[in-house]
């Protein structure tokens, strides 16, 4: 007798992570991805959360949706707080009521970027802006609502889906021969495809064991560091090698590209705890970005086939 697939309820319908999770589950029978989003589930409207999630009968909840417009969060503070802080609290409360684990995605923006080396989970947090502060409150709300949680902090997320730095660079290169890119912010470019694979592993581990060591806060970002300018140059290099658009990168300081929200100068995350506890090693960002660039240049029909690396 075949066992029914585990039901992973994921917040969001079109986000990079949910799209990557849906793709990851194609062709396998162990996990069913159930995306929930507006209007049925609206994180900015807490009254929509419990009944919608409970009706989906989750074995595990993935809190993936977020207000990720970092600069807009400085202006629309009420919505940003509702989605990034209050919404996850309600999701975690529901998870606790249903006695199921919750995997919650967070961010490198909980740090101020002043540390000269990679951040570990126990480093002091000191967010620079509204987005980071709200995400930190969201982390704390999830941890307070249920012990059965894994909070995964990630950074510099890109994918073949939606709006992100990699897709923006390829679009810009179609019209311009030169692009200015910040060179004094350092981080770990992270593919949402890789994030989805980690969520699958962490989810399975949480469902298989009650071990407290599998729960808590973990860093989950691509292996290897880069500046935004480094990342852009690699995108264009791979694109050009595959017949796609490319542009010359002009490296500029953050001061030459002012934004409403301050960004951490150093967003590097040490992911060794994720390996020790969950056995996961994040792929090198160059290999993963190459995969995604090729995907963007040659879109995949997910209904008819899977794309192999």
């Amino acid at each position: 007798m075949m066992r029914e697939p585990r039901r992973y309820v994921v917040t969001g319908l079109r986000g990079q992570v949910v799209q990557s999770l849906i793709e990851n589950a194609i062709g396998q029978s162990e996990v069913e991805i159930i995306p929930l989003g507006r209007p049925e589930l609206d994180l900015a409207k807490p009254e929509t959360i419990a009944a919608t999630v409970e009706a989906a009968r989750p074995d595990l909840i993935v809190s993936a949706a977020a207000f990720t417009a970092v600069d807009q969060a400085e202006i629309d503070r009420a919505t940003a707080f509702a989605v990034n802080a209050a919404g996850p609290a309600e999701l975690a409360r529901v998870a606790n009521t249903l006695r199921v684990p919750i995997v919650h995605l967070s961010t490198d923006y909980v740090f101020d970027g002043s540390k000269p080396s990679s951040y570990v989970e126990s480093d002091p947090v000191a967010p620079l802006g509204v987005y980071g502060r709200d995400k930190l409150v969201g982390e704390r709300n999830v941890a307070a609502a249920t012990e059965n949680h894994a909070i995964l902090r990630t950074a510099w997320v890109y994918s073949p889906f939606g709006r992100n730095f990699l897709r923006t660079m390829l679009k810009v290169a179609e019209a311009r021969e030169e692009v200015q890119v910040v060179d004094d912010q350092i981080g770990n470019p992270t593919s949402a495809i890789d994030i989805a694979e980690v969520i699958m592993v962490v989810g399975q581990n949480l469902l298989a064991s009650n071990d407290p060591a599998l729960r808590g806060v973990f860093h989950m970002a691509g292996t290897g560091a880069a500046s935004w300018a480094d990342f852009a140059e690699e995108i264009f290099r791979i694109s050009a090698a595959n017949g796609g658009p490319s542009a010359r990168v002009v490296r500029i300081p953050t001061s030459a590209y002012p934004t409403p929200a301050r960004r951490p100068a150093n967003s590097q995350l040490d992911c060794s705890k994720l390996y020790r506890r969950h056995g996961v090693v994040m792929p090198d960002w160059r290999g993963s970005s190459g995969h995604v660039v090729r995907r963007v240049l040659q879109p995949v029909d997910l209904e008819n086939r899977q794309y192999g690396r």
Side-chain angles (χ1 to χ4, degrees):
M1 182 176 178
M2 289 190 63
R3 176 176 149 183
E4 289 192 3
R6 300 281 197 176
R7 297 169 64 84
Y8 285 18
V9 165
V10 186
T11 57
L13 298 176
R14 290 170 292 276
Q16 298 184 75
V17 172
V18 69
Q19 290 297 313
S20 297
L21 283 166
I22 291 169
E23 177 178 312
N24 187 288
I26 292 175
Q28 59 114 323
S29 59
E30 291 81 10
V31 173
E32 178 183 4
I33 300 299
I34 304 169
L36 298 178
R38 294 177 295 183
E40 289 77 19
L41 185 147
D42 187 342
L43 292 177
K45 298 177 180 178
E47 67 274 11
T48 69
I49 296 174
T52 305
V53 172
E54 289 170 4
R57 298 180 293 110
D59 293 298
L60 179 138
I61 296 171
V62 180
S63 172
F67 189 111
T68 57
V70 176
D71 292 323
Q72 185 62 26
E74 298 289 328
I75 302 167
D76 191 357
R77 297 191 173 202
T79 303
F81 183 85
V83 174
N84 292 340
E90 180 65 8
L91 282 171
R93 188 194 67 77
V94 175
N96 190 58
T97 299
L98 298 176
R99 298 190 176 184
V100 301
I102 182 169
V103 176
H104 175 66
L105 297 188
S106 192
T107 176
D108 57 300
Y109 277 59
V110 299
F111 300 113
D112 64 9
S114 63
K115 186 180 179 181
S117 57
S118 298
Y119 282 94
V120 297
E121 290 82 355
S122 57
D123 280 330
V125 290
L128 296 174
V130 171
Y131 173 72
R133 288 199 297 270
D134 289 349
K135 291 295 288 183
L136 179 58
V137 173
E139 285 186 13
R140 290 171 171 169
N141 285 346
V142 168
T146 177
E147 293 182 353
N148 198 1
H149 68 267
I151 295 167
L152 306 178
R153 291 175 180 155
T154 192
W156 294 27
V157 179
Y158 64 90
S159 72
F161 316 110
R163 297 177 59 185
N164 57 72
F165 181 81
L166 184 147
R167 286 174 58 90
T168 297
M169 288 297 101
L170 291 176
K171 188 69 175 177
V172 168
E174 291 177 354
R176 293 161 56 182
E177 296 181 354
E178 182 178 283
V179 58
Q180 294 184 335
V181 186
V182 169
D183 188 42
D184 56 358
Q185 294 174 25
I186 308 297
N188 309 108
T190 309
S191 167
I193 295 172
D194 296 336
I195 291 173
E197 292 182 357
V198 173
I199 289 173
M200 289 294 196
V201 173
V202 170
Q204 290 167 0
N205 290 345
L206 294 178
L207 290 167
S209 171
N210 293 321
D211 186 353
L214 298 173
R215 286 143 178 90
V217 178
F218 301 89
H219 289 171
M220 172 193 61
T223 297
S227 69
W228 289 111
D230 295 333
F231 190 16
E233 285 189 341
E234 183 68 5
I235 292 166
F236 295 144
R237 185 190 69 79
I238 299 164
S239 179
N242 287 272
S246 64
R248 186 173 70 88
V249 172
V250 178
R251 296 171 179 262
I252 61 171
T254 299
S255 59
Y257 188 73
T259 56
R262 294 172 61 197
R263 269 75 170 168
N266 174 30
S267 285
Q268 296 177 78
L269 300 177
D270 183 313
C271 302
S272 56
K273 180 182 175 184
L274 185 68
Y275 171 70
R276 292 196 308 271
R277 303 291 174 81
H278 287 279
V280 175
V281 177
M282 294 295 290
D284 186 90
W285 71 269
R286 293 172 183 83
S288 294
S289 60
H291 171 67
V292 172
V293 169
R294 291 188 290 271
R295 283 281 304 270
V296 174
L297 297 177
Q298 186 179 8
V300 180
D301 182 354
L302 293 179
E303 293 185 0
N304 296 311
R305 66 185 180 93
Q306 287 181 272
Y307 187 99
R309 295 193 185 198

